[in-house]
Amino acid sequence: MGRGGDRSRGGLVRPVAVVHAGAGKLSSELRENEDRCRAVLLEVLDNARMMLDAGRAALETAKTLVQIMEDCDLFNAGYGSALCSDGSVRMSAAVMRGSDRAAGAVAGIKIVKHPVIAAYAVLHSHQVLMIGEDADTLAIAAGAERMANEHFVTDRQRTRLAQQAEDGDHGTVGAVCLDHQGVLAAATSTGGLTGQPPGRVGDSPLIGAGTWADQSVAVSCTGDGEAFIRGGTARRLATLVERGASLRSAANDALVDVSDLGGRGGLIALDSAGHAVMPFTADAMPRGYWRANEEPRVCVMEAEDLPPS
Amino acid sequence: MGRGGDRSRGGLVRPVAVVHAGAGKLSSELRENEDRCRAVLLEVLDNARMMLDAGRAALETAKTLVQIMEDCDLFNAGYGSALCSDGSVRMSAAVMRGSDRAAGAVAGIKIVKHPVIAAYAVLHSHQVLMIGEDADTLAIAAGAERMANEHFVTDRQRTRLAQQAEDGDHGTVGAVCLDHQGVLAAATSTGGLTGQPPGRVGDSPLIGAGTWADQSVAVSCTGDGEAFIRGGTARRLATLVERGASLRSAANDALVDVSDLGGRGGLIALDSAGHAVMPFTADAMPRGYWRANEEPRVCVMEAEDLPPS
């Protein structure tokens, strides 16, 4: 709280938050729910504004923004996650702080209400990645709220599993933030793919694949998870930026690499100067952007490039 | 088999294999077992020679070399893996082929005799990373040999767990190969850390952290797993090479980055021209190197830089 105050005399960084709710096919479902989707993203960005303006840290803010999206049944993370082939929900999430590259991630958890809080708990443990029941246990011991697996299951996702629906699995939710201190952070959370084997893990919880933050850039990816893993996408983007590439060219380059691997998707990336990009190669990627002293802006289906980076 | 024959008219690539058996502290146990360790690594490289000279693919060869090391009770992978806090063995492995970046990985498996074969089975599935029981099931369905978890447990590791021994956890085993076709591949396998929570996963099975292969370079890492994950080490090395860095500088740079994160370890890396490096920042890293038409060479404790890259 108010940690940015010290630097206000020397030059306070102008906070920024960028969020996404997954890149995927343009489903009729998304069209029908566009207004609600837009409202949730605006609420998320309003939280970003309140937290970052109050001097809260990027990591804590990114975690909270993802947590809010996990509670929304429209998005494939937390409540309303896609169902595995056995009808159960398995969730994965990761968080990373850029200043010291502290990271925490969970994969295949079942009974923690907010997977991103489980990832946050792992960040504060000796581990970086915990999987399965042990990850559930660690998170609950650290104070994360417990919830029976069936509580995550929505009728919408039951129908989707029954139909073996593959479109509209808008992979993940994610947030990248820059705080008053100039610290970057990233958070990503996902329920995986409809009908996936319960043990399948995509890129979201994998540091350097779907989630990354260092002192120069924070990244959260979404899309065909296997291609993003094989691309080492987030880490590649960050290394290109570190070696002098612009954020935009590095981000585009990263998605071209994913395309070369047969994958589609999108990402949000934010650098330490507050520049943001949100490119995607899928049909749609609900996304939003807020910068201090500006109104938040949200796009759900529009292809336009949202932030003025 | 003999796939390199076609290219022999145009210019056959000279195969290379590099292996490691983990970087870690120089334990009295390693000193006592130096001769046996050396003999196993020579046997592994002899297999590399036989397979690669016969035109076998880099991926298949790397898989087989790791498989042999998994059978050795001296190494912390497969049989003789470190024991988790509950006395059980949880194993992880990954394989990746450079030509198309096909990848497969398993984490937290319990009942597959050769974790690297499980990873190989995942490479041939629709997934890239499978965890827990589902990964065991997929591998066994694909023909991998099943083995009860207690069969992996050795008296040596029971003693180590009872003593909470932390030195001598020579993290992982790994192999990188270049075949006659000029294709690179990497494979890594680990039993994790003595006394770790059963759900902890290190860098070995994570594509871009502990394991990587593309058309330019193949990498297998070992050491403080959490630091290698936070470093996105293997993917960073590859991106630096892609952008013009020499293999040696990229590899050293990657380990400096791991050191900056408080981690120690080592890695083996091989490029498409057959250059190899095997740097480490730990006390010891048993390692070996073979190039077509040369005698295999092995170092267990010596700090000398082994291959003439």
PDB file of all heavy atoms in Angstrom, chain A residues 13-19 45 48-49 52-53 58 61 65 175-180 183-185 269-276 288-292 294 307:
ATOM      1  N   VAL A  13       6.086   6.083 -11.669  1.00  0.00           N
ATOM      2  CA  VAL A  13       5.702   5.426 -12.917  1.00  0.00           C
ATOM      3  C   VAL A  13       4.183   5.475 -13.064  1.00  0.00           C
ATOM      4  O   VAL A  13       3.449   5.369 -12.079  1.00  0.00           O
ATOM      5  CB  VAL A  13       6.211   3.969 -12.917  1.00  0.00           C
ATOM      6  CG1 VAL A  13       5.667   3.217 -14.118  1.00  0.00           C
ATOM      7  CG2 VAL A  13       7.722   3.949 -12.901  1.00  0.00           C
ATOM      8  N   ARG A  14       3.729   5.647 -14.280  1.00  0.00           N
ATOM      9  CA  ARG A  14       2.287   5.713 -14.544  1.00  0.00           C
ATOM     10  C   ARG A  14       1.757   4.293 -14.735  1.00  0.00           C
ATOM     11  O   ARG A  14       2.115   3.618 -15.709  1.00  0.00           O
ATOM     12  CB  ARG A  14       2.087   6.526 -15.820  1.00  0.00           C
ATOM     13  CG  ARG A  14       0.664   6.955 -16.091  1.00  0.00           C
ATOM     14  CD  ARG A  14       0.666   7.912 -17.270  1.00  0.00           C
ATOM     15  NE  ARG A  14      -0.655   8.052 -17.835  1.00  0.00           N
ATOM     16  CZ  ARG A  14      -0.903   8.525 -19.047  1.00  0.00           C
ATOM     17  NH1 ARG A  14       0.105   8.880 -19.828  1.00  0.00           N
ATOM     18  NH2 ARG A  14      -2.139   8.634 -19.484  1.00  0.00           N
ATOM     19  N   PRO A  15       0.908   3.827 -13.835  1.00  0.00           N
ATOM     20  CA  PRO A  15       0.481   2.416 -13.896  1.00  0.00           C
ATOM     21  C   PRO A  15      -0.358   2.089 -15.129  1.00  0.00           C
ATOM     22  O   PRO A  15      -1.064   2.955 -15.663  1.00  0.00           O
ATOM     23  CB  PRO A  15      -0.369   2.253 -12.632  1.00  0.00           C
ATOM     24  CG  PRO A  15       0.067   3.328 -11.720  1.00  0.00           C
ATOM     25  CD  PRO A  15       0.414   4.492 -12.613  1.00  0.00           C
ATOM     26  N   VAL A  16      -0.265   0.838 -15.521  1.00  0.00           N
ATOM     27  CA  VAL A  16      -1.020   0.320 -16.657  1.00  0.00           C
ATOM     28  C   VAL A  16      -1.500  -1.089 -16.306  1.00  0.00           C
ATOM     29  O   VAL A  16      -0.793  -1.836 -15.629  1.00  0.00           O
ATOM     30  CB  VAL A  16      -0.152   0.255 -17.938  1.00  0.00           C
ATOM     31  CG1 VAL A  16      -0.960  -0.278 -19.118  1.00  0.00           C
ATOM     32  CG2 VAL A  16       0.448   1.610 -18.279  1.00  0.00           C
ATOM     33  N   ALA A  17      -2.675  -1.443 -16.780  1.00  0.00           N
ATOM     34  CA  ALA A  17      -3.160  -2.823 -16.661  1.00  0.00           C
ATOM     35  C   ALA A  17      -3.749  -3.253 -18.003  1.00  0.00           C
ATOM     36  O   ALA A  17      -4.446  -2.479 -18.657  1.00  0.00           O
ATOM     37  CB  ALA A  17      -4.218  -2.934 -15.572  1.00  0.00           C
ATOM     38  N   VAL A  18      -3.444  -4.461 -18.393  1.00  0.00           N
ATOM     39  CA  VAL A  18      -4.004  -5.041 -19.612  1.00  0.00           C
ATOM     40  C   VAL A  18      -4.553  -6.419 -19.246  1.00  0.00           C
ATOM     41  O   VAL A  18      -3.907  -7.159 -18.493  1.00  0.00           O
ATOM     42  CB  VAL A  18      -2.923  -5.195 -20.713  1.00  0.00           C
ATOM     43  CG1 VAL A  18      -3.562  -5.612 -22.025  1.00  0.00           C
ATOM     44  CG2 VAL A  18      -2.130  -3.908 -20.887  1.00  0.00           C
ATOM     45  N   VAL A  19      -5.724  -6.741 -19.764  1.00  0.00           N
ATOM     46  CA  VAL A  19      -6.324  -8.039 -19.453  1.00  0.00           C
ATOM     47  C   VAL A  19      -6.837  -8.699 -20.739  1.00  0.00           C
ATOM     48  O   VAL A  19      -7.123  -8.025 -21.727  1.00  0.00           O
ATOM     49  CB  VAL A  19      -7.498  -7.915 -18.450  1.00  0.00           C
ATOM     50  CG1 VAL A  19      -7.002  -7.336 -17.127  1.00  0.00           C
ATOM     51  CG2 VAL A  19      -8.623  -7.045 -19.014  1.00  0.00           C
ATOM     52  N   LEU A  45     -11.111  -3.809 -15.071  1.00  0.00           N
ATOM     53  CA  LEU A  45     -10.207  -2.666 -15.234  1.00  0.00           C
ATOM     54  C   LEU A  45     -10.463  -1.580 -14.184  1.00  0.00           C
ATOM     55  O   LEU A  45      -9.547  -0.850 -13.799  1.00  0.00           O
ATOM     56  CB  LEU A  45     -10.339  -2.091 -16.646  1.00  0.00           C
ATOM     57  CG  LEU A  45      -9.809  -3.004 -17.750  1.00  0.00           C
ATOM     58  CD1 LEU A  45     -10.128  -2.418 -19.127  1.00  0.00           C
ATOM     59  CD2 LEU A  45      -8.303  -3.241 -17.604  1.00  0.00           C
ATOM     60  N   ALA A  48      -8.463  -2.611 -11.421  1.00  0.00           N
ATOM     61  CA  ALA A  48      -7.063  -2.284 -11.705  1.00  0.00           C
ATOM     62  C   ALA A  48      -6.785  -0.830 -11.350  1.00  0.00           C
ATOM     63  O   ALA A  48      -5.787  -0.510 -10.691  1.00  0.00           O
ATOM     64  CB  ALA A  48      -6.755  -2.544 -13.178  1.00  0.00           C
ATOM     65  N   ARG A  49      -7.685   0.038 -11.780  1.00  0.00           N
ATOM     66  CA  ARG A  49      -7.524   1.461 -11.495  1.00  0.00           C
ATOM     67  C   ARG A  49      -7.462   1.716  -9.992  1.00  0.00           C
ATOM     68  O   ARG A  49      -6.538   2.368  -9.493  1.00  0.00           O
ATOM     69  CB  ARG A  49      -8.705   2.233 -12.114  1.00  0.00           C
ATOM     70  CG  ARG A  49      -8.671   3.752 -11.876  1.00  0.00           C
ATOM     71  CD  ARG A  49      -9.912   4.445 -12.439  1.00  0.00           C
ATOM     72  NE  ARG A  49     -11.170   3.968 -11.851  1.00  0.00           N
ATOM     73  CZ  ARG A  49     -11.592   4.227 -10.622  1.00  0.00           C
ATOM     74  NH1 ARG A  49     -10.853   4.982  -9.808  1.00  0.00           N
ATOM     75  NH2 ARG A  49     -12.737   3.740 -10.189  1.00  0.00           N
ATOM     76  N   LEU A  52      -4.092   0.006  -8.492  1.00  0.00           N
ATOM     77  CA  LEU A  52      -2.803   0.579  -8.909  1.00  0.00           C
ATOM     78  C   LEU A  52      -2.709   2.060  -8.528  1.00  0.00           C
ATOM     79  O   LEU A  52      -1.642   2.526  -8.120  1.00  0.00           O
ATOM     80  CB  LEU A  52      -2.600   0.366 -10.415  1.00  0.00           C
ATOM     81  CG  LEU A  52      -2.382  -1.100 -10.820  1.00  0.00           C
ATOM     82  CD1 LEU A  52      -2.450  -1.249 -12.338  1.00  0.00           C
ATOM     83  CD2 LEU A  52      -1.046  -1.633 -10.291  1.00  0.00           C
ATOM     84  N   ASP A  53      -3.826   2.779  -8.619  1.00  0.00           N
ATOM     85  CA  ASP A  53      -3.807   4.176  -8.182  1.00  0.00           C
ATOM     86  C   ASP A  53      -3.502   4.288  -6.696  1.00  0.00           C
ATOM     87  O   ASP A  53      -2.905   5.259  -6.241  1.00  0.00           O
ATOM     88  CB  ASP A  53      -5.166   4.846  -8.481  1.00  0.00           C
ATOM     89  CG  ASP A  53      -5.222   5.452  -9.872  1.00  0.00           C
ATOM     90  OD1 ASP A  53      -4.161   5.518 -10.533  1.00  0.00           O
ATOM     91  OD2 ASP A  53      -6.312   5.867 -10.304  1.00  0.00           O
ATOM     92  N   ALA A  58       2.052  -4.600  -8.621  1.00  0.00           N
ATOM     93  CA  ALA A  58       1.621  -5.194  -9.885  1.00  0.00           C
ATOM     94  C   ALA A  58       1.207  -6.658  -9.706  1.00  0.00           C
ATOM     95  O   ALA A  58       0.197  -7.101 -10.267  1.00  0.00           O
ATOM     96  CB  ALA A  58       2.744  -5.092 -10.922  1.00  0.00           C
ATOM     97  N   THR A  61      -2.082  -6.960  -7.924  1.00  0.00           N
ATOM     98  CA  THR A  61      -3.153  -6.471  -8.797  1.00  0.00           C
ATOM     99  C   THR A  61      -3.466  -7.482  -9.901  1.00  0.00           C
ATOM    100  O   THR A  61      -4.633  -7.817 -10.140  1.00  0.00           O
ATOM    101  CB  THR A  61      -2.767  -5.119  -9.406  1.00  0.00           C
ATOM    102  OG1 THR A  61      -2.413  -4.214  -8.355  1.00  0.00           O
ATOM    103  CG2 THR A  61      -3.917  -4.541 -10.215  1.00  0.00           C
ATOM    104  N   LEU A  65      -7.086  -9.245 -10.554  1.00  0.00           N
ATOM    105  CA  LEU A  65      -7.845  -9.114 -11.806  1.00  0.00           C
ATOM    106  C   LEU A  65      -8.208 -10.491 -12.358  1.00  0.00           C
ATOM    107  O   LEU A  65      -9.336 -10.725 -12.818  1.00  0.00           O
ATOM    108  CB  LEU A  65      -7.037  -8.313 -12.839  1.00  0.00           C
ATOM    109  CG  LEU A  65      -6.560  -6.917 -12.396  1.00  0.00           C
ATOM    110  CD1 LEU A  65      -5.926  -6.185 -13.574  1.00  0.00           C
ATOM    111  CD2 LEU A  65      -7.680  -6.101 -11.776  1.00  0.00           C
ATOM    112  N   ALA A 175      -3.760 -11.313 -17.069  1.00  0.00           N
ATOM    113  CA  ALA A 175      -3.558  -9.895 -16.784  1.00  0.00           C
ATOM    114  C   ALA A 175      -2.070  -9.599 -16.696  1.00  0.00           C
ATOM    115  O   ALA A 175      -1.300 -10.433 -16.199  1.00  0.00           O
ATOM    116  CB  ALA A 175      -4.232  -9.517 -15.461  1.00  0.00           C
ATOM    117  N   VAL A 176      -1.677  -8.451 -17.210  1.00  0.00           N
ATOM    118  CA  VAL A 176      -0.316  -7.944 -16.997  1.00  0.00           C
ATOM    119  C   VAL A 176      -0.449  -6.519 -16.464  1.00  0.00           C
ATOM    120  O   VAL A 176      -1.300  -5.754 -16.923  1.00  0.00           O
ATOM    121  CB  VAL A 176       0.536  -7.976 -18.285  1.00  0.00           C
ATOM    122  CG1 VAL A 176       0.839  -9.410 -18.683  1.00  0.00           C
ATOM    123  CG2 VAL A 176      -0.148  -7.265 -19.450  1.00  0.00           C
ATOM    124  N   CYS A 177       0.383  -6.207 -15.474  1.00  0.00           N
ATOM    125  CA  CYS A 177       0.280  -4.904 -14.821  1.00  0.00           C
ATOM    126  C   CYS A 177       1.648  -4.271 -14.629  1.00  0.00           C
ATOM    127  O   CYS A 177       2.655  -4.973 -14.466  1.00  0.00           O
ATOM    128  CB  CYS A 177      -0.382  -5.047 -13.439  1.00  0.00           C
ATOM    129  SG  CYS A 177      -2.082  -5.633 -13.499  1.00  0.00           S
ATOM    130  N   LEU A 178       1.646  -2.949 -14.631  1.00  0.00           N
ATOM    131  CA  LEU A 178       2.829  -2.154 -14.287  1.00  0.00           C
ATOM    132  C   LEU A 178       2.409  -1.247 -13.146  1.00  0.00           C
ATOM    133  O   LEU A 178       1.414  -0.518 -13.273  1.00  0.00           O
ATOM    134  CB  LEU A 178       3.262  -1.328 -15.502  1.00  0.00           C
ATOM    135  CG  LEU A 178       4.388  -0.314 -15.305  1.00  0.00           C
ATOM    136  CD1 LEU A 178       5.721  -1.022 -15.038  1.00  0.00           C
ATOM    137  CD2 LEU A 178       4.518   0.600 -16.533  1.00  0.00           C
ATOM    138  N   ASP A 179       3.140  -1.298 -12.032  1.00  0.00           N
ATOM    139  CA  ASP A 179       2.715  -0.501 -10.879  1.00  0.00           C
ATOM    140  C   ASP A 179       3.524   0.792 -10.742  1.00  0.00           C
ATOM    141  O   ASP A 179       4.440   1.067 -11.524  1.00  0.00           O
ATOM    142  CB  ASP A 179       2.734  -1.346  -9.603  1.00  0.00           C
ATOM    143  CG  ASP A 179       4.139  -1.808  -9.197  1.00  0.00           C
ATOM    144  OD1 ASP A 179       5.134  -1.141  -9.558  1.00  0.00           O
ATOM    145  OD2 ASP A 179       4.231  -2.838  -8.513  1.00  0.00           O
ATOM    146  N   HIS A 180       3.168   1.581  -9.746  1.00  0.00           N
ATOM    147  CA  HIS A 180       3.814   2.876  -9.485  1.00  0.00           C
ATOM    148  C   HIS A 180       5.325   2.767  -9.314  1.00  0.00           C
ATOM    149  O   HIS A 180       6.068   3.712  -9.580  1.00  0.00           O
ATOM    150  CB  HIS A 180       3.239   3.474  -8.184  1.00  0.00           C
ATOM    151  CG  HIS A 180       2.079   4.387  -8.405  1.00  0.00           C
ATOM    152  ND1 HIS A 180       2.071   5.371  -9.374  1.00  0.00           N
ATOM    153  CD2 HIS A 180       0.889   4.479  -7.767  1.00  0.00           C
ATOM    154  CE1 HIS A 180       0.928   6.026  -9.324  1.00  0.00           C
ATOM    155  NE2 HIS A 180       0.182   5.501  -8.366  1.00  0.00           N
ATOM    156  N   VAL A 183       7.331  -1.860 -11.328  1.00  0.00           N
ATOM    157  CA  VAL A 183       7.419  -3.324 -11.334  1.00  0.00           C
ATOM    158  C   VAL A 183       6.326  -3.891 -12.236  1.00  0.00           C
ATOM    159  O   VAL A 183       5.175  -3.453 -12.181  1.00  0.00           O
ATOM    160  CB  VAL A 183       7.277  -3.899  -9.908  1.00  0.00           C
ATOM    161  CG1 VAL A 183       7.209  -5.429  -9.937  1.00  0.00           C
ATOM    162  CG2 VAL A 183       8.431  -3.429  -9.037  1.00  0.00           C
ATOM    163  N   LEU A 184       6.709  -4.861 -13.053  1.00  0.00           N
ATOM    164  CA  LEU A 184       5.782  -5.575 -13.928  1.00  0.00           C
ATOM    165  C   LEU A 184       5.374  -6.900 -13.294  1.00  0.00           C
ATOM    166  O   LEU A 184       6.136  -7.493 -12.516  1.00  0.00           O
ATOM    167  CB  LEU A 184       6.448  -5.869 -15.266  1.00  0.00           C
ATOM    168  CG  LEU A 184       6.726  -4.668 -16.182  1.00  0.00           C
ATOM    169  CD1 LEU A 184       7.821  -5.008 -17.197  1.00  0.00           C
ATOM    170  CD2 LEU A 184       5.445  -4.244 -16.893  1.00  0.00           C
ATOM    171  N   ALA A 185       4.188  -7.386 -13.653  1.00  0.00           N
ATOM    172  CA  ALA A 185       3.769  -8.720 -13.216  1.00  0.00           C
ATOM    173  C   ALA A 185       2.776  -9.286 -14.215  1.00  0.00           C
ATOM    174  O   ALA A 185       2.128  -8.530 -14.947  1.00  0.00           O
ATOM    175  CB  ALA A 185       3.142  -8.677 -11.828  1.00  0.00           C
ATOM    176  N   ALA A 269       1.008  -8.078 -23.837  1.00  0.00           N
ATOM    177  CA  ALA A 269       2.367  -7.834 -23.352  1.00  0.00           C
ATOM    178  C   ALA A 269       2.504  -6.364 -23.014  1.00  0.00           C
ATOM    179  O   ALA A 269       1.937  -5.502 -23.693  1.00  0.00           O
ATOM    180  CB  ALA A 269       3.392  -8.243 -24.402  1.00  0.00           C
ATOM    181  N   LEU A 270       3.263  -6.100 -21.969  1.00  0.00           N
ATOM    182  CA  LEU A 270       3.395  -4.751 -21.420  1.00  0.00           C
ATOM    183  C   LEU A 270       4.852  -4.555 -21.050  1.00  0.00           C
ATOM    184  O   LEU A 270       5.458  -5.441 -20.438  1.00  0.00           O
ATOM    185  CB  LEU A 270       2.498  -4.677 -20.171  1.00  0.00           C
ATOM    186  CG  LEU A 270       2.473  -3.421 -19.323  1.00  0.00           C
ATOM    187  CD1 LEU A 270       1.981  -2.219 -20.132  1.00  0.00           C
ATOM    188  CD2 LEU A 270       1.571  -3.657 -18.108  1.00  0.00           C
ATOM    189  N   ASP A 271       5.430  -3.416 -21.455  1.00  0.00           N
ATOM    190  CA  ASP A 271       6.837  -3.212 -21.085  1.00  0.00           C
ATOM    191  C   ASP A 271       6.968  -2.194 -19.956  1.00  0.00           C
ATOM    192  O   ASP A 271       5.980  -1.601 -19.510  1.00  0.00           O
ATOM    193  CB  ASP A 271       7.691  -2.878 -22.312  1.00  0.00           C
ATOM    194  CG  ASP A 271       7.441  -1.488 -22.867  1.00  0.00           C
ATOM    195  OD1 ASP A 271       6.840  -0.635 -22.166  1.00  0.00           O
ATOM    196  OD2 ASP A 271       7.849  -1.244 -24.012  1.00  0.00           O
ATOM    197  N   SER A 272       8.190  -1.998 -19.501  1.00  0.00           N
ATOM    198  CA  SER A 272       8.411  -1.179 -18.305  1.00  0.00           C
ATOM    199  C   SER A 272       8.171   0.303 -18.578  1.00  0.00           C
ATOM    200  O   SER A 272       8.085   1.098 -17.640  1.00  0.00           O
ATOM    201  CB  SER A 272       9.826  -1.406 -17.776  1.00  0.00           C
ATOM    202  OG  SER A 272      10.770  -1.163 -18.812  1.00  0.00           O
ATOM    203  N   ALA A 273       8.063   0.681 -19.855  1.00  0.00           N
ATOM    204  CA  ALA A 273       7.719   2.060 -20.180  1.00  0.00           C
ATOM    205  C   ALA A 273       6.210   2.250 -20.285  1.00  0.00           C
ATOM    206  O   ALA A 273       5.738   3.361 -20.555  1.00  0.00           O
ATOM    207  CB  ALA A 273       8.376   2.464 -21.501  1.00  0.00           C
ATOM    208  N   GLY A 274       5.462   1.178 -20.083  1.00  0.00           N
ATOM    209  CA  GLY A 274       4.009   1.272 -20.139  1.00  0.00           C
ATOM    210  C   GLY A 274       3.413   1.034 -21.518  1.00  0.00           C
ATOM    211  O   GLY A 274       2.215   1.160 -21.708  1.00  0.00           O
ATOM    212  N   HIS A 275       4.256   0.681 -22.478  1.00  0.00           N
ATOM    213  CA  HIS A 275       3.733   0.323 -23.792  1.00  0.00           C
ATOM    214  C   HIS A 275       3.069  -1.043 -23.717  1.00  0.00           C
ATOM    215  O   HIS A 275       3.595  -1.952 -23.071  1.00  0.00           O
ATOM    216  CB  HIS A 275       4.851   0.271 -24.835  1.00  0.00           C
ATOM    217  CG  HIS A 275       5.530   1.576 -25.033  1.00  0.00           C
ATOM    218  ND1 HIS A 275       6.896   1.689 -25.111  1.00  0.00           N
ATOM    219  CD2 HIS A 275       5.030   2.830 -25.151  1.00  0.00           C
ATOM    220  CE1 HIS A 275       7.213   2.972 -25.278  1.00  0.00           C
ATOM    221  NE2 HIS A 275       6.105   3.686 -25.297  1.00  0.00           N
ATOM    222  N   ALA A 276       1.933  -1.154 -24.407  1.00  0.00           N
ATOM    223  CA  ALA A 276       1.206  -2.425 -24.389  1.00  0.00           C
ATOM    224  C   ALA A 276       0.868  -2.850 -25.801  1.00  0.00           C
ATOM    225  O   ALA A 276       0.629  -2.008 -26.673  1.00  0.00           O
ATOM    226  CB  ALA A 276      -0.071  -2.295 -23.574  1.00  0.00           C
ATOM    227  N   GLY A 288      -8.900  -5.819 -22.626  1.00  0.00           N
ATOM    228  CA  GLY A 288      -9.102  -4.476 -22.104  1.00  0.00           C
ATOM    229  C   GLY A 288      -7.802  -3.858 -21.643  1.00  0.00           C
ATOM    230  O   GLY A 288      -6.815  -4.566 -21.388  1.00  0.00           O
ATOM    231  N   TYR A 289      -7.834  -2.544 -21.533  1.00  0.00           N
ATOM    232  CA  TYR A 289      -6.620  -1.789 -21.310  1.00  0.00           C
ATOM    233  C   TYR A 289      -6.946  -0.573 -20.472  1.00  0.00           C
ATOM    234  O   TYR A 289      -7.939   0.121 -20.717  1.00  0.00           O
ATOM    235  CB  TYR A 289      -6.073  -1.384 -22.686  1.00  0.00           C
ATOM    236  CG  TYR A 289      -4.956  -0.389 -22.674  1.00  0.00           C
ATOM    237  CD1 TYR A 289      -3.638  -0.810 -22.584  1.00  0.00           C
ATOM    238  CD2 TYR A 289      -5.222   0.981 -22.779  1.00  0.00           C
ATOM    239  CE1 TYR A 289      -2.602   0.109 -22.584  1.00  0.00           C
ATOM    240  CE2 TYR A 289      -4.186   1.905 -22.781  1.00  0.00           C
ATOM    241  CZ  TYR A 289      -2.883   1.459 -22.677  1.00  0.00           C
ATOM    242  OH  TYR A 289      -1.871   2.372 -22.689  1.00  0.00           O
ATOM    243  N   TRP A 290      -6.142  -0.318 -19.454  1.00  0.00           N
ATOM    244  CA  TRP A 290      -6.299   0.901 -18.662  1.00  0.00           C
ATOM    245  C   TRP A 290      -4.933   1.494 -18.356  1.00  0.00           C
ATOM    246  O   TRP A 290      -3.995   0.772 -18.023  1.00  0.00           O
ATOM    247  CB  TRP A 290      -7.038   0.614 -17.348  1.00  0.00           C
ATOM    248  CG  TRP A 290      -6.974   1.789 -16.414  1.00  0.00           C
ATOM    249  CD1 TRP A 290      -7.773   2.894 -16.428  1.00  0.00           C
ATOM    250  CD2 TRP A 290      -6.028   1.980 -15.356  1.00  0.00           C
ATOM    251  NE1 TRP A 290      -7.388   3.767 -15.450  1.00  0.00           N
ATOM    252  CE2 TRP A 290      -6.321   3.245 -14.769  1.00  0.00           C
ATOM    253  CE3 TRP A 290      -4.977   1.225 -14.840  1.00  0.00           C
ATOM    254  CZ2 TRP A 290      -5.586   3.762 -13.695  1.00  0.00           C
ATOM    255  CZ3 TRP A 290      -4.249   1.742 -13.776  1.00  0.00           C
ATOM    256  CH2 TRP A 290      -4.556   3.001 -13.210  1.00  0.00           C
ATOM    257  N   ARG A 291      -4.834   2.816 -18.491  1.00  0.00           N
ATOM    258  CA  ARG A 291      -3.623   3.514 -18.099  1.00  0.00           C
ATOM    259  C   ARG A 291      -4.029   4.648 -17.164  1.00  0.00           C
ATOM    260  O   ARG A 291      -5.083   5.268 -17.347  1.00  0.00           O
ATOM    261  CB  ARG A 291      -2.919   4.083 -19.338  1.00  0.00           C
ATOM    262  CG  ARG A 291      -1.544   4.691 -19.034  1.00  0.00           C
ATOM    263  CD  ARG A 291      -1.064   5.599 -20.145  1.00  0.00           C
ATOM    264  NE  ARG A 291      -1.024   4.946 -21.425  1.00  0.00           N
ATOM    265  CZ  ARG A 291       0.109   4.630 -22.083  1.00  0.00           C
ATOM    266  NH1 ARG A 291       1.283   4.907 -21.554  1.00  0.00           N
ATOM    267  NH2 ARG A 291       0.045   4.060 -23.262  1.00  0.00           N
ATOM    268  N   ALA A 292      -3.215   4.913 -16.157  1.00  0.00           N
ATOM    269  CA  ALA A 292      -3.536   5.937 -15.166  1.00  0.00           C
ATOM    270  C   ALA A 292      -3.960   7.231 -15.855  1.00  0.00           C
ATOM    271  O   ALA A 292      -3.359   7.646 -16.848  1.00  0.00           O
ATOM    272  CB  ALA A 292      -2.323   6.183 -14.265  1.00  0.00           C
ATOM    273  N   GLU A 294      -6.530   7.712 -17.577  1.00  0.00           N
ATOM    274  CA  GLU A 294      -7.318   7.512 -18.807  1.00  0.00           C
ATOM    275  C   GLU A 294      -8.535   6.648 -18.479  1.00  0.00           C
ATOM    276  O   GLU A 294      -8.555   5.955 -17.469  1.00  0.00           O
ATOM    277  CB  GLU A 294      -6.471   6.814 -19.879  1.00  0.00           C
ATOM    278  CG  GLU A 294      -5.353   7.678 -20.428  1.00  0.00           C
ATOM    279  CD  GLU A 294      -4.538   6.945 -21.493  1.00  0.00           C
ATOM    280  OE1 GLU A 294      -4.982   5.867 -21.961  1.00  0.00           O
ATOM    281  OE2 GLU A 294      -3.450   7.446 -21.833  1.00  0.00           O
ATOM    282  N   PRO A 307      -4.654  -0.672 -27.650  1.00  0.00           N
ATOM    283  CA  PRO A 307      -3.934   0.372 -26.921  1.00  0.00           C
ATOM    284  C   PRO A 307      -3.056   1.215 -27.846  1.00  0.00           C
ATOM    285  O   PRO A 307      -2.533   0.716 -28.830  1.00  0.00           O
ATOM    286  CB  PRO A 307      -3.068  -0.419 -25.958  1.00  0.00           C
ATOM    287  CG  PRO A 307      -2.826  -1.700 -26.641  1.00  0.00           C
ATOM    288  CD  PRO A 307      -3.995  -1.955 -27.537  1.00  0.00           C
TER     289      PRO A 307
END
